């Protein structure tokens, strides 16, 4: 399903809070965005990134995989999925994600 965006919804939920080091506020913003629209790849990517820091790698990988499935050309989500899978010692899967990220990376 294509990523949709509702009027007034941030394009990358939680990003501003994450950049400011405000993880709790970012998590609330991301979860609220996902309650409104479960198909937001950026929200799943940001939630996965936050979960990886806790470290909750299984949960992180689930959200990151969903982000990459929702938007297969989403470089950041594909790369972050590779990181989460590497931390789970799922090396073959991590390498697949990293190879895909390398294909997506600009020259």
């Amino acid at each position: 399903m294509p990523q949709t965006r509702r009027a007034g919804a941030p394009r990358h939920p939680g990003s501003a809070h994450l950049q400011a080091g405000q993880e709790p506020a970012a998590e609330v913003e991301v979860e609220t965005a996902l309650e409104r629209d479960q198909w937001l790849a950026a929200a799943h990517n940001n939630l996965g990134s936050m979960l990886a820091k806790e470290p909750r790698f299984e949960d992180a990988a689930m959200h990151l995989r969903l982000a990459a499935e929702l938007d297969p050309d989403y470089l950041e989500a594909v790369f972050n999925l590779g990181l989460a899978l590497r931390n789970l010692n799922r090396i073959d899967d991590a390498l697949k994600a990293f190879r895909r990220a390398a294909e997506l990376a600009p020259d």
Side-chain angles (χ1 to χ4, degrees), residues 81-96:
L81 174 60
L83 293 175
L85 292 169
R86 184 195 66 195
N87 284 311
L88 291 167
N89 290 320
R90 292 169 42 193
I91 303 304
D92 289 340
D93 292 332
L95 287 173
K96 288 178 190 174

Side-chain angles (χ1 to χ4, degrees), residues 42-59:
H44 284 287
N45 177 65
N46 287 349
L47 182 55
S49 297
M50 286 184 276
L51 292 169
K53 290 179 183 178
E54 292 187 11
R56 292 173 44 198
F57 298 121
E58 285 289 344
D59 294 331

Side-chain angles (χ1 to χ4, degrees), residues 10-21 26 29-30 42 45-46 74 76:
R11 183 151 180 81
H12 297 281
S15 293
H17 291 297
L18 284 174
Q19 290 173 354
E29 186 174 318
V30 168
N45 177 65
N46 287 349
Y74 191 176
E76 184 179 349

Side-chain angles (χ1 to χ4, degrees), residues 14-84:
S15 293
H17 291 297
L18 284 174
Q19 290 173 354
Q22 302 166 342
E23 284 82 7
E27 191 168 346
V28 168
E29 186 174 318
V30 168
E31 289 175 352
T32 300
L34 287 172
E35 286 173 10
R36 288 189 203 129
D37 187 348
Q38 65 182 347
W39 307 112
L40 290 173
H44 284 287
N45 177 65
N46 287 349
L47 182 55
S49 297
M50 286 184 276
L51 292 169
K53 290 179 183 178
E54 292 187 11
R56 292 173 44 198
F57 298 121
E58 285 289 344
D59 294 331
M62 179 191 70
H63 284 282
L64 294 165
R65 183 177 310 281
L66 185 52
E69 289 172 359
L70 289 169
D71 185 352
D73 295 331
Y74 191 176
L75 172 59
E76 184 179 349
V78 173
F79 182 78
N80 288 340
L81 174 60
L83 293 175

